[in-house]
Amino acid sequence: MPNRSVDTLFQLVKSLEKSEKRNFKLYVTRNTSAEQLKVIELFDALDKLTEYDEANLLKKTPGIKKQQLSNLKAHLYKLILSSLLLIRDEQNIDIQLHEQLGFARILYNKGLYLQALKLLDKLKDLARQHNQVSFLMQAIFFEKKIEALHITRSSDYRAATLVKESEEVASRIDRINRSSNLSLLLYDWYIRHGHARNKKDEAELEAFFEKHLPEKSEQGRGFYEQLYRSQSYCWYAFIRQDFLMYYRYTSKWVEIFQKHPEMIKVETLQYIKGIHNLLSAHFDLRNEEGFSKTLHLFEELEKSEVVQTNDNNRIQAFVYLQLARINHHFLKGTFTEGLKLIPYLEEKLGEYHLQLDRHRVLVFYYKIACLYFGSGDNERAIDYLQKIINWKVDLRTDLQCYARLLHLIAHYELGNTEILEYLIKSVYRFMAKMNSLSPVEEEMFRFLRNSLALSAGSEKAAFAHLLEKIKAYENDPRETRTFAYLDVISWLESKVEGVPVQEVIRRKSENGKKKRG
């Protein structure tokens, strides 16, 4: 389990690049008071720590007394943020607009009302170009204040124009707010519960979706209205595992950015997330050709300046790109080759452990476990599955369930009969408690219980019988979740044929290419 420090100052210091640290030192040393020297001493000590330990920190900073530490930490935190603000980010439209708003305020306070209004007009044009409606509303409110308090004679019918602008922007903000609320609530549903597990879940989800979905007449055609509406349908389809619908709306998500390329710099993470979800849609539909093309698009984006010059963009691109590369090996059945990704992945998980959320780390552990399982290394698969099982978090009950199921199967493959009976009962109870047992999983548990009493030489026939039963559910939409997390059919086919599971999947991939060709 990664160490997740709760000290915010330590996290901030550890997030700084070398150039940012150098800039901070230059910023602070402009004022060489005794307090500033203590701040630098504290900064250097924090920078050298590998994990936050207050006792160790005080030991390394003899010039700082314990009673001074809290105030100095707060002061250092503020100074770091101030120094970072001085490194102007020309690509960040939020910072540019905020700066222009500040300049307009300064001009107004100097009594230069017309100059302030002129600057606000330019600000509004820039905000419209980049769909920044919240800044647009702030500028309009500021203009209304100036016009209400001063006789500017800036233009005829100024009041009527501002009122109309204000109403239009307020209406647009309301539409964006409704769509973004629905998108966020659906994403939260997925993070907490995973996919819909039964008809009851689906009915509740559909009712929730219909209740919060804005009317067509209220949806609007602006960039953000389209984006959040596509996201809402995307999450709705994904939770229901309607993969064709999921593909349709993830495609729209990416297309919106391709129609508004100027917004890629403004909402880079939204674009990255869209490509990630499009890759997931191709993966769920087993469309290797579409997956490969989208992966190439993502790899080119990951190299771009807009990603590499922003820590957040770079880290999230790393997360989604590595997941995509692992999934590509799953699609092709090249599990052993995929193991080459793990050392780099482990290194980066350690480097980014302060920035990565628990959900992402859990997904990586499951993906790595699947790579080892698919390549035949069940012991290493168990190591990573235990990281998930032993990590007590309230996220992704579906991932917790399938980690336990794969953990059980890996022990079965290793022939660990002495603990299988206990594991079968334990995993079954856990999944039943989570209301996560599907007909396919019931069949698997029934087989595993009976397998303990199978005579030597009868296993192959038993696997063939189970394969026949489970294949009947292959196109059942209620079983999509099971097959998405665990390719049970390929595993059973490998047991029947007596070949590695990755060979079965690789053969299916090649046959799929021939059919499409």
Side-chain angles (χ1 to χ4, degrees):
M1 186 187 308
N3 168 46
R4 305 191 65 82
S5 171
V6 295
D7 188 85
T8 53
L9 175 60
F10 179 73
Q11 288 179 304
L12 179 59
V13 170
K14 287 300 181 182
S15 74
L16 298 177
E17 303 286 338
K18 285 184 179 179
S19 59
E20 292 168 336
K21 292 176 184 177
R22 185 168 58 251
N23 179 72
F24 166 75
K25 292 284 187 71
L26 290 171
Y27 175 74
V28 175
T29 51
R30 290 172 188 170
N31 181 352
T32 54
S33 66
E35 185 183 25
Q36 301 298 69
L37 290 174
K38 286 185 179 181
V39 163
I40 294 174
E41 183 184 1
L42 177 59
F43 177 86
D44 288 337
L46 284 166
D47 191 29
K48 291 174 183 175
L49 291 178
T50 55
E51 60 182 70
Y52 186 76
D53 182 334
E54 190 166 295
N56 192 24
L57 178 62
L58 288 167
K59 186 178 178 181
K60 291 181 179 295
T61 53
I64 299 173
K65 297 177 182 178
K66 187 173 182 178
Q67 57 266 35
Q68 295 176 307
L69 186 59
S70 180
N71 287 337
L72 280 173
K73 285 174 66 178
H75 185 47
L76 175 56
Y77 192 89
K78 185 178 178 181
L79 284 173
I80 292 173
L81 292 179
S82 297
S83 72
L84 291 173
L85 196 60
L86 290 176
I87 305 175
R88 183 177 172 84
D89 185 354
E90 297 290 347
Q91 293 182 340
N92 193 311
I93 192 65
D94 286 5
I95 292 177
Q96 291 180 51
L97 290 169
H98 186 76
E99 182 182 65
Q100 293 299 308
L101 203 57
F103 290 161
R105 172 64 64 180
I106 290 169
L107 290 169
Y108 174 76
N109 290 342
K110 297 289 287 182
L112 302 173
Y113 313 133
L114 292 179
Q115 289 189 38
L117 287 171
K118 187 176 181 180
L119 191 57
L120 288 170
D121 267 339
K122 291 181 179 179
L123 187 157
K124 290 196 298 183
D125 287 340
L126 187 61
R128 288 190 186 98
Q129 289 170 24
H130 295 90
N131 296 282
Q132 299 303 297
V133 288
S134 62
F135 280 100
L136 193 56
M137 181 58 89
Q138 290 182 69
I140 291 169
F141 264 73
F142 197 178
E143 285 181 310
K144 286 163 72 175
K145 177 180 178 178
I146 294 173
E147 295 292 348
L149 293 174
H150 309 281
I151 301 172
T152 65
R153 301 186 186 276
S154 56
S155 68
D156 294 335
Y157 307 108
R158 181 67 171 170
T161 301
L162 283 174
V163 168
K164 184 180 178 182
E165 273 189 286
S166 178
E167 289 174 348
E168 288 174 351
V169 173
S171 177
R172 188 175 176 196
I173 288 174
D174 181 61
R175 292 195 300 269
I176 292 171
N177 188 49
R178 291 188 187 192
S179 296
S180 62
N181 285 348
L182 177 56
S183 172
L184 179 62
L185 288 168
L186 288 167
Y187 187 55
D188 177 67
W189 179 308
Y190 173 66
I191 294 298
R192 287 186 292 111
H193 304 297
H195 297 291
R197 294 167 288 186
N198 46 49
K199 288 184 177 180
K200 180 176 177 290
D201 280 357
E202 288 185 1
E204 288 178 359
L205 178 66
E206 186 174 356
F208 179 86
F209 185 73
E210 293 295 333
K211 178 182 176 182
H212 292 87
L213 183 68
E215 296 290 335
K216 284 189 177 180
S217 60
E218 299 176 343
Q219 289 175 356
R221 296 185 178 181
F223 172 82
Y224 284 105
E225 294 94 317
Q226 293 182 66
L227 177 65
Y228 290 125
R229 186 166 67 250
S230 293
Q231 288 180 358
S232 297
Y233 276 102
C234 168
W235 301 135
Y236 174 68
F238 186 63
I239 294 169
R240 293 177 68 247
Q241 295 177 106
D242 183 341
F243 294 139
L244 282 173
M245 183 182 184
Y246 178 54
Y247 167 72
R248 186 160 66 249
Y249 282 98
T250 54
S251 296
K252 285 185 178 182
W253 184 337
V254 173
E255 286 166 8
I256 290 165
F257 277 96
Q258 291 169 347
K259 289 177 182 175
H260 300 271
E262 73 282 358
M263 294 303 293
I264 292 175
K265 287 185 177 181
V266 179
E267 292 287 359
T268 309
L269 277 182
Q270 292 277 20
Y271 186 47
I272 288 172
K273 191 72 177 276
I275 295 175
H276 161 67
N277 281 291
L278 181 55
L279 282 163
S280 297
H282 285 306
F283 178 76
D284 291 329
L285 293 170
R286 296 296 184 263
N287 180 9
E288 191 190 332
E289 183 180 352
F291 190 99
S292 296
K293 288 180 180 177
T294 307
L295 180 59
H296 178 70
L297 171 69
F298 196 1
E299 288 173 334
E300 290 302 307
L301 175 67
E302 191 263 346
K303 297 173 189 173
S304 68
E305 183 181 357
V306 71
V307 171
Q308 291 301 318
T309 56
N310 181 290
D311 291 343
N312 202 21
N313 293 343
R314 186 173 65 253
I315 292 168
Q316 295 306 311
F318 153 77
V319 168
Y320 293 129
L321 187 55
Q322 295 310 308
L323 288 174
R325 284 171 173 160
I326 293 173
N327 282 342
H328 203 199
H329 286 293
F330 290 169
L331 271 181
K332 296 186 295 181
T334 51
F335 290 79
T336 302
E337 185 181 338
L339 296 178
K340 296 174 185 176
L341 297 172
I342 296 176
Y344 173 74
L345 184 53
E346 286 279 21
E347 177 191 338
K348 288 297 181 181
L349 286 178
E351 181 181 339
Y352 297 146
H353 77 279
L354 292 175
Q355 290 96 342
L356 292 178
D357 61 76
R358 295 173 297 172
H359 166 254
R360 296 295 170 207
V361 177
L362 286 174
V363 172
F364 270 124
Y365 286 166
Y366 188 76
K367 294 287 186 182
I368 293 172
C370 288
L371 277 176
Y372 278 118
F373 178 80
S375 65
D377 190 342
N378 292 290
E379 290 182 350
R380 290 294 289 152
I382 287 169
D383 290 342
Y384 279 91
L385 293 167
Q386 284 179 330
K387 289 174 184 281
I388 301 171
I389 295 166
N390 295 331
W391 196 348
K392 306 300 180 186
V393 292
D394 56 354
L395 292 172
R396 297 296 300 275
T397 55
D398 54 344
L399 198 59
Q400 291 287 340
C401 287
Y402 285 98
R404 283 165 170 77
L405 185 56
L406 185 58
H407 179 257
L408 170 58
I409 293 172
H411 276 291
Y412 178 88
E413 288 281 30
L414 289 170
N416 294 334
T417 53
E418 67 279 4
I419 63 168
L420 277 176
E421 187 174 355
Y422 163 76
L423 283 176
I424 291 168
K425 290 178 181 177
S426 173
V427 176
Y428 185 86
R429 279 197 305 268
F430 183 88
M431 294 183 74
K433 184 180 177 182
M434 296 296 174
N435 296 316
S436 189
L437 282 166
S438 70
V440 165
E441 289 150 8
E442 290 278 14
E443 289 288 354
M444 289 181 67
F445 277 109
R446 191 175 297 113
F447 167 82
L448 289 168
R449 288 190 204 99
N450 295 334
S451 69
L452 298 175
L454 285 175
S455 59
S458 63
E459 296 95 339
K460 194 170 185 177
F463 276 117
H465 183 60
L466 177 61
L467 176 61
E468 185 181 349
K469 282 185 175 182
I470 286 181
K471 270 204 166 183
Y473 295 100
E474 192 170 10
N475 297 313
D476 187 334
R478 293 171 299 176
E479 293 296 338
T480 307
R481 184 178 63 130
T482 303
F483 296 128
Y485 276 98
L486 194 60
D487 192 346
V488 179
I489 290 176
S490 293
W491 175 63
L492 291 173
E493 287 173 342
S494 76
K495 302 303 290 182
V496 171
E497 296 176 28
V499 298
V501 66
Q502 64 180 332
E503 186 176 322
V504 173
I505 296 172
R506 189 161 52 241
R507 187 174 63 226
K508 288 179 180 179
S509 174
E510 291 299 323
N511 290 340
K513 285 180 184 176
K514 289 176 183 177
K515 286 179 182 178
R516 286 191 295 272

